Amino acid sequence: MLQAVCLRGLLLLLVGRQVYTEEQCLKASVNTCGDCIKSGPGCAWCKDLNFTKTGEQEAVRCDTVASLEKKGCSPTDIINPKNDFTKKSNKPLAAGNDPVQIQPQEIQLDLRPGRPYTFELKFQRAEGYPVDLYYLMDLSYSMKDDLENVKKLGNSLLSKLNVITGNARIGFGSFVDKTLLPYTDTNEAKLQRPCSDKNEPCQPAFGFQHVLSLTQDGNMFKNMVANQHISGNLDPPEGSLDAIMQAAVCVNEIGWGNSTRLLVLATDDGFHMAGDGKLAAILEPNQETCQLVQNKYSKSNLWDYPSVGQIARKLEEQNIQPIFAVTKKVETVYTELSKLIPKSAVGVLSEDSGNVVNLIVEAYNNLTSEVIMAHEALPDFISVKYKSNCKGGDKSSDRGKCDNVNIGEEVIFQVTVTVEKCITSQSFLIGPLGFSEKLKVNVTTRCECECDDKNEPSSHCGGNGKVVCGGCSCSSGFLGQRCECNLGQKDEASLKAQCRKDNGTECEGKGDCLCGRCQCHNTDSGGNFYGKFCECDDEHCEKFDNKQCAGHGQCKCGKCECDQGYEGTACHCAKSDEACKIDSSVCYNRGKCVCNQCDCERGYKGPYCKSCPTCQRPCQESGSCVECMAFGTGPFEKNCTAACKHLQLTSVEKLIKNDCRVKDKEGCWMLFTMTEQLGFDKYIVTVLKDRECPEGPNIAAIVGGSLAAVALIGLLILLIVKAVLYASDLREWKRFEKDRKHEKTSGTNPLFQNATTTVQNPTFSGD
Ligand SMILES: *[C@@H]1O[C@H](CO)[C@@H](O)[C@H](O)[C@H]1NC(C)=O
Ligand SMILES: *[C@@H]1O[C@H](CO)[C@@H](O)[C@H](O)[C@H]1NC(C)=O
Ligand SMILES: *[C@@H]1O[C@H](CO)[C@@H](O)[C@H](O)[C@H]1NC(C)=O
Ligand SMILES: *[C@@H]1O[C@H](CO)[C@@H](O)[C@H](O)[C@H]1NC(C)=O
Ligand SMILES: *[C@@H]1O[C@H](CO)[C@@H](O)[C@H](O)[C@H]1NC(C)=O
Ligand SMILES: *[C@@H]1O[C@H](CO)[C@@H](O)[C@H](O)[C@H]1NC(C)=O
């Protein structure tokens, strides 16, 4: 089962578009039966009045047939439009004078979008089906001897064809190339007579000319062709595509009938294609219309050559099958061209075209024995696929194909049509390529429901509306599932506004606004919403430790309601201090237990306020206490017990480490460590029994020291006096020296002037 599901998923992925399954109904915003039918090929609608419970969405009526039946909808109440197929014209296959080669001829398809419909299309080649053959000949100079042969051809070709069909017609046209440089010599004389041989009858250069419309008269063919003369041009490729295009689009001029249409192109050279016209400055693309004036192609020098694509499309459109009768030299070129044109054949002409009749007959047999069933180009929401069990075509593809189909042999194609969306109507043709008989298809879609409802107010809808496919369509002024809501004075907008909290989304997007009240969506798979605006649910509360309300409370409308003994937004906090207890204290008495954690004071840190990295040991402050407690001295000698309650003392012989080193009143060093106790500022002090006291004083040294000091001071005073006197003498001497210098400079006579004067030449510049 699981495998099957996986496989289908894979298939869906591979195909890339929705695979049609009756088991699936993917609905989005469905309100009416029509919406439901449109939303998928697997969707059906239950019109049972009592199917929806009050407050339930009308959308539940839309589901697969299987689930609707499971939910108790009776099959007669299930609206599930089926594909419909009618044959509007269905004549049996027939040969003879009025042949019918495909059956049916016209159909009407009425399809559910996404549901494929397959029908049979029969085809039979009728004996004696007419053949139209238009012989299109290259008259460039190299075809000179071929023309001679073709002139003799007339009756033999016609009679050979008549053996096959009994109803053949034959026509003739010729072409060379555009009469412009570089294709043709445009010298006036050369244009008139493009042949190189002076004695040769020669016709002026031309593009394409239609010579003989399709006729059953072999002699006429002979006469008309006999009047044809060779012509000429410059470059090797010819204007063959120009000629093919005109032969294909000039349906009336050529006289194409309801027949197998063959177009023989006899040439010994390649062809010009779209774009080559630029060589002669022709920029206008080929317009694909018939432009014969007096049987000559009048736009030959104005329009570019057609593209191969244009040719292929036009030939297919006109059911014309080309036969390229070409010389060995260009066989590969035309074989490539033939690959691009469905239903075309290539045959090799002998040097003088002597084998052309056999070649045409063989190509005709090859062409008509291959049946390709195809349709017109269609918009991408319609797809048509073909399947057949004949030779050469078993797979489902965009074209049906059968090889080696004999006359009178019936082949059957399974044609599958799928429409992907609702449309009004679309017509198109399906038929075998190369045959003018087509099947006319008209497709419409079934996107509406026919529920046979009475067009009158129903009690089911409170008398305020009528039943439409099981639901209510309320009269104006009424709203609601059963039209129970009387709008009264209010309008719909203000009723809807009542369903919006703070101008927010209607019912917070979790319910429907019914008559101004929110009807919340409640599904089996989670999402039970409630509250005035459906704003509440019991699924989304704060989580702790990945548990809703930490597992210690109930989720109510987005908020946790905690069990006894718990508190906090996510009930993650126990009210008790249990989690903070250590060493029979709570947080070492240095903080409060808040939500299972110690909230420490005075810089204490750690899970239980164990330590204070920033605090310093109060060594100095404790000095007096240590002194009185350990040694009975110091300022607190009297009131030691009272002043030093916070310390507990032990004396030891030896201290492992000492935190504190404090001097007592007697100048001795006390060494001790302080170990913190529960709470603040309480310590056990461990004191080293022996203090480190300084040595006692030495009397002799003191007396000697004093005498020496007195002598030293006397000496110092003497020195200072001496220094002051010396400094003052020095100053006096300096002043005297300075005065003397001054006297000397001012000794010159201020009235004296030097006899020599110095004049500077401002223009003098050195050398
Ligand atoms: C719907 O249910 C009501 C009450 O249960 C009943 O009277 C009525 O006949 C039912 N209608 C249909 C169509 O089953
Ligand atoms: C071809 O057949 C169609 C319908 O069968 C007819 O309307 C049309 O005139 C025919 N054309 C010719 C050229 O006979
Ligand atoms: C006809 O078909 C045969 C066999 O497929 C092939 O050899 C031959 O070349 C074809 N002739 C023409 C003119 O297409
Ligand atoms: C196709 O069928 C529809 C519905 O019957 C009709 O309205 C429309 O005209 C038809 N189209 C053609 C081209 O026949
Ligand atoms: C809601 O919108 C209306 C009109 O835009 C406005 O008057 C009203 O104050 C809004 N109320 C709140 C709660 O935003
Ligand atoms: C202890 O006595 C000293 C001096 O005698 C005094 O300064 C101090 O305040 C007293 N302390 C207490 C706690 O009584």
Side-chain angles (χ1 to χ4, degrees):
M1 181 60 201
L2 192 67
Q3 266 175 335
V5 168
C6 287
L7 210 67
R8 205 163 67 211
L10 199 69
L11 211 71
L12 255 160
L13 273 178
L14 288 179
V15 176
R17 59 161 70 185
Q18 196 183 336
V19 173
Y20 164 67
T21 45
E22 293 251 15
E23 306 98 65
Q24 231 180 12
C25 171
L26 305 165
K27 50 190 175 180
S29 77
V30 166
N31 284 317
T32 65
C33 181
D35 292 347
C36 177
I37 299 307
K38 281 174 201 136
S39 57
C43 293
W45 180 265
C46 180
K47 66 166 184 172
D48 182 353
L49 290 183
N50 288 357
F51 189 72
T52 48
K53 298 168 195 75
T54 6
E56 209 172 11
Q57 292 275 297
E58 288 297 311
V60 300
R61 295 178 181 277
C62 185
D63 214 328
T64 59
V65 172
S67 15
L68 288 180
E69 279 177 357
K70 215 164 115 196
K71 284 189 206 157
C73 190
S74 96
T76 51
D77 280 339
I78 293 179
I79 307 280
N80 183 24
K82 301 254 182 320
N83 286 335
D84 196 24
F85 170 77
T86 40
K87 295 174 181 169
K88 288 186 142 180
S89 172
N90 192 27
K91 286 183 275 182
L93 299 172
N97 277 349
D98 196 7
V100 177
Q101 300 187 104
I102 88 171
Q103 186 192 11
Q105 295 82 36
E106 190 176 352
I107 59 169
Q108 173 75 35
L109 285 172
D110 217 2
L111 303 182
R112 266 291 286 279
R115 279 195 197 174
Y117 187 82
T118 303
F119 61 91
E120 273 189 0
L121 180 57
K122 289 188 209 162
F123 174 75
Q124 187 183 43
R125 281 175 63 198
E127 182 148 27
Y129 195 70
V131 173
D132 285 348
L133 185 145
Y134 190 71
Y135 199 95
L136 194 52
M137 189 167 184
D138 176 3
L139 285 187
S140 61
Y141 195 72
S142 53
M143 293 293 282
K144 190 167 86 107
D145 49 348
D146 305 72
L147 178 63
E148 293 314 312
N149 261 312
V150 173
K151 284 178 179 171
K152 295 178 214 148
L153 190 80
N155 275 324
S156 61
L157 179 56
L158 199 56
S159 53
K160 262 279 168 54
L161 287 177
N162 272 328
V163 168
I164 302 169
T165 76
N167 194 359
R169 295 190 302 161
I170 189 167
F172 188 86
S174 60
F175 66 93
V176 184
D177 207 342
K178 296 188 189 297
T179 56
L180 290 173
L181 275 173
Y183 323 112
T184 305
D185 194 336
T186 50
N187 176 309
E188 194 54 43
K190 268 287 181 195
L191 273 182
Q192 282 310 312
R193 222 193 123 71
C195 311
S196 45
D197 191 337
K198 285 223 168 69
N199 303 320
E200 191 78 31
C202 187
Q203 59 174 323
F206 66 97
F208 162 72
Q209 65 187 358
H210 167 55
V211 178
L212 175 67
S213 298
L214 292 162
T215 172
Q216 284 178 322
D217 189 344
N219 286 326
M220 195 156 158
F221 183 85
K222 208 169 152 186
N223 294 339
M224 293 296 276
V225 177
N227 290 334
Q228 290 294 308
H229 298 300
I230 210 74
S231 181
N233 65 334
L234 278 179
D235 64 342
E238 321 291 9
S240 326
L241 297 193
D242 263 347
I244 296 176
M245 178 58 82
Q246 289 303 306
V249 294
C250 297
V251 178
N252 295 330
E253 289 80 352
I254 307 284
W256 295 113
N258 286 341
S259 55
T260 304
R261 299 168 171 185
L262 301 177
L263 177 72
V264 178
L265 181 87
T267 181
D268 63 347
D269 254 319
F271 50 87
H272 282 297
M273 285 179 290
D276 287 356
K278 290 204 178 105
L279 292 174
I282 300 173
L283 298 175
E284 192 171 353
N286 198 286
Q287 306 289 313
E288 302 175 23
T289 52
C290 183
Q291 295 294 342
L292 293 186
V293 174
Q294 288 172 345
N295 285 339
K296 283 211 159 66
Y297 177 33
S298 62
K299 298 280 192 208
S300 174
N301 290 346
L302 298 174
W303 287 355
D304 195 2
Y305 300 98
S307 68
V308 173
Q310 282 177 306
I311 290 289
R313 188 162 39 77
K314 266 292 164 215
L315 289 175
E316 187 175 328
E317 229 174 85
Q318 301 294 347
N319 301 307
I320 295 170
Q321 308 175 57
I323 299 170
F324 301 111
V326 297
T327 52
K328 189 83 197 155
K329 186 177 68 166
V330 287
E331 187 193 358
T332 46
V333 175
Y334 283 90
T335 308
E336 289 305 313
L337 176 64
S338 172
K339 282 181 194 158
L340 302 174
I341 301 176
K343 296 287 283 182
S344 63
V346 179
V348 177
L349 275 180
S350 56
E351 274 310 309
D352 58 357
S353 297
N355 65 339
V356 73
V357 175
N358 289 338
L359 187 157
I360 289 170
V361 170
E362 189 190 332
Y364 168 81
N365 284 331
N366 280 9
L367 285 176
T368 48
S369 66
E370 181 194 50
V371 175
I372 298 177
M373 199 57 84
H375 53 267
E376 294 175 286
L378 285 172
D380 58 3
F381 51 82
I382 299 185
S383 82
V384 183
K385 300 267 177 218
Y386 303 85
K387 224 173 130 178
S388 61
N389 42 18
C390 58
K391 216 183 290 169
D394 43 357
K395 296 183 299 254
S396 171
S397 63
D398 291 339
R399 294 197 149 179
K401 192 163 170 254
C402 283
D403 291 336
N404 294 332
V405 179
N406 294 318
I407 289 177
E409 182 185 341
E410 185 179 294
V411 285
I412 296 175
F413 292 91
Q414 307 287 334
V415 184
T416 304
V417 180
T418 317
V419 185
E420 293 298 344
K421 64 172 196 185
C422 295
I423 53 172
T424 48
S425 84
Q426 174 89 32
S427 296
F428 59 92
L429 300 173
I430 296 179
L433 296 184
F435 294 82
S436 57
E437 278 182 61
K438 302 283 166 186
L439 161 69
K440 254 195 220 169
V441 183
N442 185 11
V443 187
T444 56
T445 46
R446 305 196 67 179
C447 292
E448 297 305 324
C449 297
E450 285 148 22
C451 299
D452 303 324
D453 294 316
K454 291 196 190 86
N455 190 14
E456 60 192 32
S458 154
S459 60
H460 178 71
C461 301
N464 302 321
K466 45 191 189 189
V467 172
V468 174
C469 291
C472 285
S473 163
C474 304
S475 320
S476 69
F478 292 91
L479 272 182
Q481 193 181 13
R482 297 273 162 94
C483 305
E484 69 278 12
C485 176
N486 189 342
L487 281 174
Q489 299 301 311
K490 290 182 186 161
D491 58 352
E492 199 176 338
S494 67
L495 266 186
K496 294 226 158 185
Q498 288 179 13
C499 294
R500 295 158 61 189
K501 185 185 180 188
D502 300 335
N503 289 351
T505 329
E506 197 171 288
C507 301
E508 304 282 295
K510 294 164 194 156
D512 302 306
C513 185
L514 296 177
C515 218
R517 274 202 303 265
C518 282
Q519 201 95 51
C520 304
H521 293 165
N522 289 322
T523 55
D524 302 333
S525 56
N528 283 310
F529 301 108
Y530 59 92
K532 192 176 174 215
F533 302 104
C534 305
E535 74 277 25
C536 291
D537 76 56
D538 293 347
E539 313 286 324
H540 298 95
C541 274
E542 207 170 311
K543 280 188 177 172
F544 187 79
D545 237 359
N546 215 11
K547 280 188 217 138
Q548 193 100 273
C549 300
H552 298 306
Q554 303 282 313
C555 185
K556 285 269 149 68
C557 191
K559 287 225 170 69
C560 286
E561 276 178 14
C562 301
D563 298 341
Q564 216 166 16
Y566 291 94
E567 60 192 2
T569 50
C571 302
H572 56 297
C573 305
K575 279 183 182 164
S576 76
D577 292 342
E578 206 54 48
C580 301
K581 276 193 180 154
I582 183 157
D583 287 358
S584 73
S585 74
V586 172
C587 308
Y588 289 114
N589 295 353
R590 288 170 201 147
K592 284 182 293 212
C593 191
V594 175
C595 196
N596 314 338
Q597 275 183 336
C598 285
D599 182 15
C600 307
E601 291 166 27
R602 298 207 208 166
Y604 280 85
K605 294 264 160 63
Y608 294 102
C609 310
K610 188 170 164 66
S611 58
C612 175
T614 54
C615 301
Q616 276 175 353
R617 298 202 173 276
C619 290
Q620 290 302 330
E621 296 87 327
S622 309
S624 299
C625 276
V626 172
E627 196 179 348
C628 78
M629 288 167 87
F631 307 106
T633 56
F636 296 165
E637 207 177 341
K638 302 261 159 50
N639 54 6
C640 193
T641 338
C644 303
K645 274 192 290 216
H646 61 295
L647 298 182
Q648 236 179 305
L649 193 94
T650 55
S651 280
V652 289
E653 296 283 349
K654 201 167 176 207
L655 213 53
I656 296 160
K657 62 170 186 140
N658 62 346
D659 303 327
C660 303
R661 186 181 157 86
V662 180
K663 223 174 203 176
D664 67 5
K665 202 176 153 198
E666 290 162 27
C668 296
W669 293 104
M670 299 182 290
L671 299 184
F672 54 92
T673 58
M674 303 184 77
T675 312
E676 212 161 9
Q677 298 298 292
L678 294 182
F680 303 104
D681 306 327
K682 284 189 179 166
Y683 298 90
I684 291 180
V685 181
T686 314
V687 192
L688 192 64
K689 248 185 191 153
D690 301 317
R691 288 176 288 180
E692 278 175 19
C693 290
E695 301 279 302
N698 186 335
I699 308 293
I702 293 168
V703 173
S706 313
L707 279 178
V710 169
L712 200 73
I713 289 164
L715 201 69
L716 248 160
I717 292 169
L718 273 174
L719 271 176
I720 289 165
V721 169
K722 186 85 184 147
V724 168
L725 286 178
Y726 174 76
S728 130
D729 281 358
L730 195 64
R731 209 163 39 239
E732 285 299 315
W733 165 251
K734 275 203 180 136
R735 194 188 299 151
F736 166 74
E737 281 287 278
K738 204 169 144 202
D739 288 348
R740 249 179 30 156
K741 267 191 203 148
H742 194 68
E743 234 169 274
K744 208 181 200 170
T745 41
S746 57
T748 49
N749 183 354
L751 300 176
F752 170 78
Q753 286 225 324
N754 205 333
T756 58
T757 50
T758 309
V759 178
Q760 259 181 338
N761 179 359
T763 56
F764 176 72
S765 63
D767 328 302

